[in-house]
Amino acid sequence: MTGPSIVSQVGGLFRPFVNICLLTSVPQDLPDSRTLLVLTLVGYALVGLFLAVPLYGVASGTMQTALDVAMLAIYTWLVLRIAGYGARFGQTLTALAGAGVIMGLVALPLVNSLTTSDARGVDNVPATFGYLFLVGWLIVVYGHIFRHALSRPLPTGLFVSLGYLVLSALVMGLAFPGSTTG
């Protein structure tokens, strides 16, 4: 395999998730593939580790990442099951995890900048606003995914998305007291 074809393949793997993050594609556009689901969950966990380990250390960061992956899967399964759309679980979780990979990769330099600034005792207002914007956009992206997975209007998807992020923050706070999650 040549270099450009590998780059093309990797770009082709990310493109559908970038389009979901830009709200131009929907979960139904993804193949219902167990392999793609596993790849996106592994990618989501790896990006989660890159975000969590510098903040919380290897042991706590790894446990927080594992809990995050499990919560995303369980929450998605419960919401879809309750709404009667359990068959959409694979594509929906693939879309959420894949979008989480993209958003996490965008967040990496911001989190690194915030961590570095914090260690120096300096406020980093631009990185803080950038990170807050990304969290807001993540709510919109997840809302977009849940909207289509549940065949409901966008406000319902946003409510479900916000519900996940609030529940996630609460569970993380209870499971790992003293550490703050971003």
Side-chain angles (χ1 to χ4, degrees), residues 3 36 68 83 121 159:
L36 185 58
D68 180 43
F159 179 77

Side-chain angles (χ1 to χ4, degrees), residues 14-156:
F14 282 101
R15 188 169 294 111
F17 301 107
V18 169
N19 289 339
I20 287 172
C21 289
L22 295 174
L23 313 181
T24 58
S25 290
V26 296
Q28 300 91 309
D29 293 339
L30 299 172
D32 191 7
S33 161
R34 218 176 267 276
T35 302
L36 185 58
L37 174 59
V38 169
L39 281 173
T40 57
L41 287 173
V42 168
Y44 183 81
L46 288 174
V47 171
L49 285 171
F50 281 119
L51 290 167
V53 167
L55 295 171
Y56 309 113
V58 174
S60 183
T62 300
M63 289 188 299
Q64 287 185 36
T65 299
L67 180 57
D68 180 43
V69 172
M71 284 185 358
L72 183 65
I74 292 166
Y75 184 86
T76 302
W77 182 81
L78 281 173
V79 165
L80 292 173
R81 190 80 167 166
I82 290 168
Y85 293 108
R88 297 179 181 181
F89 174 72
Q91 284 177 303
T92 304
L93 186 56
T94 300
L96 291 167
V101 168
I102 301 301
M103 299 297 284
L105 290 173
V106 173
L108 275 171
L110 293 172
V111 170
N112 182 49
S113 180
L114 288 169
T115 303
T116 303
S117 296
D118 190 48
R120 292 185 315 194
V122 177
D123 288 335
N124 189 333
V125 175
T128 300
F129 279 119
Y131 184 77
L132 290 174
F133 174 80
L134 271 180
V135 170
W137 192 249
L138 181 66
I139 292 168
V140 170
V141 170
Y142 277 15
H144 170 74
I145 293 167
F146 279 120
R147 163 199 186 186
H148 288 281
L150 297 169
S151 298
R152 301 282 196 280
L154 181 59
T156 301

